[in-house]
Amino acid sequence: MPRASSRDALITTFGRLVEAHDVLARRLSASLELGCGIPLTWFEVLLRISRADQQLVSMTVLAEQVSLTTGGVTRLLDRMIAAGLVTRVPCPSDRRISYAALTEAGAARLTEALAIHRKDLSRSFDGFSAIELAQLDGLMDRLRHATPEQ
Amino acid sequence: MPRASSRDALITTFGRLVEAHDVLARRLSASLELGCGIPLTWFEVLLRISRADQQLVSMTVLAEQVSLTTGGVTRLLDRMIAAGLVTRVPCPSDRRISYAALTEAGAARLTEALAIHRKDLSRSFDGFSAIELAQLDGLMDRLRHATPEQ
DNA sequence: TAAGATTGAAGCATCAATCTTG
DNA sequence: CAAGATTGATGCTTCAATCTTA
């Protein structure tokens, strides 16, 4: 009969993952907000757009990328448009689709945010060896694709 | 001049951590909700109470443990009390403090939830070796304590 | 009829102010 | 005055219903 502490190792590990995520996300978001006036979510949106083919992302795709519903993204974009960082661009070939695109101000803000975020991350991961970082990267990559099955 | 892909390795890794967290948290919460009618947050609260000394946790301590504000915990407890899973117990020595405690129904629900959660986690971490799980555990443990400093 | 996006209602969290007790 | 908890106002998200276009 295994001890509870051994049977519940996964519960503890997952709990630590949640805690690590919460701590980091809070800290990094607060830093971005303080340093360039946008929360982590906005940064993620700006980054996704900038990396996309043609610098355009549809609402549905963006929703998947940032782990929100399409309804959530609609309103998120509304706020970012009000802040002048992004625009909606209608798709010429399919009028159901509207793309999100960066404004010049959005691209500039992303540049600022990237500098801050890089610095914050090197601080947060200070003390981690290259090998550990590679392990972390590999583990997270597998985990995010882990079988949703059943 | 380093390539962007190498300079931004940390950004990618952190992005994967966020994505892994979101995917897992969503899946595990949905499973708990379906299997025993409580979301992941409630499970975490029940677990923290059950593990606490005397099976009692003050609002402030609970708030830290589940990464919420005390205001958030007050309302979370309100809902869980309404569901009959926990109770508030006044502290006899300091009347500012109120503890959260499990009801019998709460303890029973926790038992159900634990069984489900253990099964879900072994599925999610299926394919990970013992060594990888130990690495993951160690990395998460260090990360959640990583320097909040300046 | 389905796919993409938006909207109203509702849920859950934060923030700041407040109340109570130490 | 400080610490613990609660409350009102507010923000962001989800869910389900709706509108438009394919």
Side-chain angles (χ1 to χ4, degrees), chain A residues 22 26, chain B residues 45 48 57-74 76-77 100:
Chain A
D22 290 351
R26 229 175 269 279
Chain B
V45 168
R48 293 293 187 172
V57 195
S58 72
M59 294 310 204
T60 303
V61 170
L62 192 54
E64 287 167 5
Q65 291 181 335
V66 299
S67 297
L68 293 181
T69 61
T70 61
V73 168
T74 293
L76 176 52
L77 262 279

Side-chain angles (χ1 to χ4, degrees), chain A residues 6-48:
Chain A
S6 111
R7 293 183 63 217
D8 288 343
L10 288 183
I11 292 184
T12 300
T13 298
F14 174 68
R16 287 177 175 180
L17 190 155
V18 171
E19 195 179 331
H21 167 272
D22 290 351
V23 167
L24 285 178
R26 229 175 269 279
R27 183 191 311 163
L28 294 164
S29 191
S31 171
L32 283 174
E33 193 107 41
L34 189 69
C36 65
I38 64 172
L40 185 58
T41 316
W42 289 32
F43 169 74
E44 285 169 346
V45 169
L46 295 178
L47 189 62
R48 294 292 186 174

Side-chain angles (χ1 to χ4, degrees), chain B:
Chain B
M1 189 191 304
R3 289 173 306 130
S5 62
S6 111
R7 294 183 63 215
D8 288 344
L10 288 184
I11 291 184
T12 300
T13 300
F14 175 68
R16 288 177 174 180
L17 190 156
V18 170
E19 194 179 332
H21 168 272
D22 290 350
V23 167
L24 285 177
R26 230 173 269 277
R27 182 190 311 163
L28 294 165
S29 191
S31 171
L32 283 174
E33 195 107 40
L34 189 70
C36 66
I38 64 172
L40 186 58
T41 316
W42 289 31
F43 168 75
E44 285 170 346
V45 168
L46 295 177
L47 189 62
R48 293 293 187 172
I49 299 175
S50 80
R51 284 177 171 173
D53 182 48
Q54 313 279 343
Q55 312 252 97
L56 294 175
V57 195
S58 72
M59 294 310 204
T60 303
V61 170
L62 192 54
E64 287 167 5
Q65 291 181 335
V66 299
S67 297
L68 293 181
T69 61
T70 61
V73 168
T74 293
R75 285 163 167 116
L76 176 52
L77 262 279
D78 286 343
R79 280 172 261 141
M80 295 182 70
I81 288 171
L85 301 180
V86 299
T87 330
R88 275 187 239 270
V89 177
C91 173
S93 61
D94 185 339
R95 290 193 300 189
R96 292 173 302 181
I97 297 175
S98 91
Y99 292 116
L102 297 178
T103 62
E104 288 202 16
R109 193 70 68 91
L110 175 57
T111 302
E112 297 174 44
L114 272 170
I116 295 171
H117 198 55
R118 286 194 190 99
K119 194 171 302 179
D120 290 339
L121 284 175
S122 21
R123 211 192 310 276
S124 286
F125 287 103
D126 185 45
F128 286 76
S129 71
I131 291 180
E132 287 169 332
L133 289 176
Q135 285 175 352
L136 178 60
D137 192 72
L139 288 167
M140 290 305 118
D141 193 36
R142 285 174 59 194
L143 224 35
R144 69 188 176 137
H145 294 126
T147 162
E149 54 147 314
Q150 162 51 2

Side-chain angles (χ1 to χ4, degrees), chain A residues 1 12 18 30 45 49 56 63 65 84 87 105 138 146:
Chain A
M1 186 194 305
T12 300
V18 171
V45 169
I49 299 175
L56 294 175
Q65 292 181 334
T87 329

Side-chain angles (χ1 to χ4, degrees), chain A residues 58-60 70 74-75 88 96-98:
Chain A
S58 73
M59 294 311 202
T60 302
T70 61
T74 293
R75 284 162 167 115
R88 275 187 239 270
R96 292 173 302 181
I97 297 175
S98 90

